[in-house]
Amino acid sequence: AAMAHGHGPGRCRCCGEEAAERGAAWGLYLRIDRQRLQCLNERREGSGATVFRPWEERGDRLHQFFVESDDDEELLFNIPFTGSVKLKGVIVMGEDDGTHPAELRLFRNIPHMSFDDTAKEPEQTFSLSRDPLGELEYPTKIARFSNVHHLSMHFPKNFGAETTKIFYIGLKGEWTEAHRHEVTICNYEASANPADHKLEQITPQTHFIS
């Protein structure tokens, strides 16, 4: 007879492997450019960076790894990556009380975003549930997040407290190394020579084929 797959005092090997696989899937925190990571309205400077850590350590409450908002309940993270990311899912873990964020708005490729910029339409919005164990995964619309160099996460409100607290943010997806030559091509195209466009200005209806 097949044995029941229970969890006794000794953890079974397959569950350990499953946890390791799941942990690896949430490894995008390793691809964050931490030198340029920003968290706006954080009460303690640098605390925003501590919520991006290994999935296995999401429940670590000993080291005070959390960020709390300062003036009001809003928090805004600017997260630059070291390459191109395909973002597939997000976890947001907080307390089981009013400080837990109630909404998440995601923006892509808007570096140095400010609270003024959050008036823009986000790529995706999530209504969050309280998740004190870091178990709820919010899947993204992958087509909108398939070439992300910079991710902004805006938490506009919580469940009624004066400040917002976040203990862990998980980012799941794939990472590709940045190609240096792409940057050069973009720069070249962006700096067009005004002399090239003189003919078009004089005769807008005519198209010359060289």
Side-chain angles (χ1 to χ4, degrees):
M3 289 188 68
H5 191 129
H7 288 260
R11 286 180 65 87
C12 67
R13 189 172 152 227
C14 61
C15 294
E17 286 171 4
E18 198 178 296
E21 273 177 35
R22 185 152 186 212
W26 293 92
L28 279 185
Y29 73 95
L30 292 166
R31 306 304 185 180
I32 294 172
D33 183 348
R34 289 183 178 265
Q35 299 298 316
R36 297 189 298 127
L37 174 69
Q38 280 183 317
C39 179
L40 305 188
N41 198 34
E42 59 183 4
R43 177 168 290 184
R44 199 173 77 247
E45 191 178 342
S47 57
T50 67
V51 304
F52 300 98
R53 58 182 187 275
W55 179 82
E56 300 84 359
E57 295 174 17
R58 67 195 184 287
D60 184 347
R61 299 289 174 105
L62 296 174
H63 295 91
Q64 297 294 300
F65 287 149
F66 69 88
V67 61
E68 184 175 4
S69 61
D70 192 12
D71 294 334
D72 53 26
E73 73 275 24
E74 280 191 89
L75 282 168
L76 175 61
F77 290 87
N78 280 317
I79 306 158
F81 293 106
T82 56
S84 175
V85 161
K86 182 188 284 186
L87 184 67
K88 296 180 176 180
V90 177
I91 290 176
V92 179
M93 177 179 159
E95 296 276 29
D96 194 8
D97 61 18
T99 64
H100 195 294
E103 188 178 297
L104 165 60
R105 304 166 77 237
L106 293 181
F107 300 84
R108 64 184 278 272
N109 299 341
I110 310 176
H112 312 298
M113 205 169 166
S114 68
F115 282 111
D116 290 341
D117 297 323
T118 60
K120 297 177 183 177
E121 188 69 27
E123 297 291 338
Q124 194 169 355
T125 302
F126 298 99
S127 290
L128 303 177
S129 299
R130 290 190 183 107
D131 185 14
L133 298 176
E135 293 176 330
L136 302 177
E137 178 182 338
Y138 299 92
T140 62
K141 296 171 182 169
I142 296 176
R144 294 190 180 184
F145 295 97
S146 61
N147 187 21
V148 180
H149 302 281
H150 185 285
L151 180 70
S152 296
M153 306 181 80
H154 178 220
F155 296 92
K157 58 185 181 182
N158 58 25
F159 286 95
E162 286 183 16
T163 61
T164 296
K165 265 188 186 181
I166 298 173
F167 282 84
Y168 168 80
I169 294 177
L171 301 173
K172 182 170 83 170
E174 298 167 15
W175 175 85
T176 317
E177 198 170 350
H179 298 295
R180 302 303 300 175
H181 68 269
E182 284 178 9
V183 180
T184 349
I185 293 165
C186 294
N187 289 345
Y188 174 74
E189 289 173 353
S191 55
N193 184 354
D196 296 344
H197 299 285
K198 279 185 180 166
L199 271 174
E200 291 169 20
Q201 287 164 10
I202 300 161
T203 53
Q205 302 305 319
T206 318
H207 297 282
F208 290 90
I209 301 164
S210 54

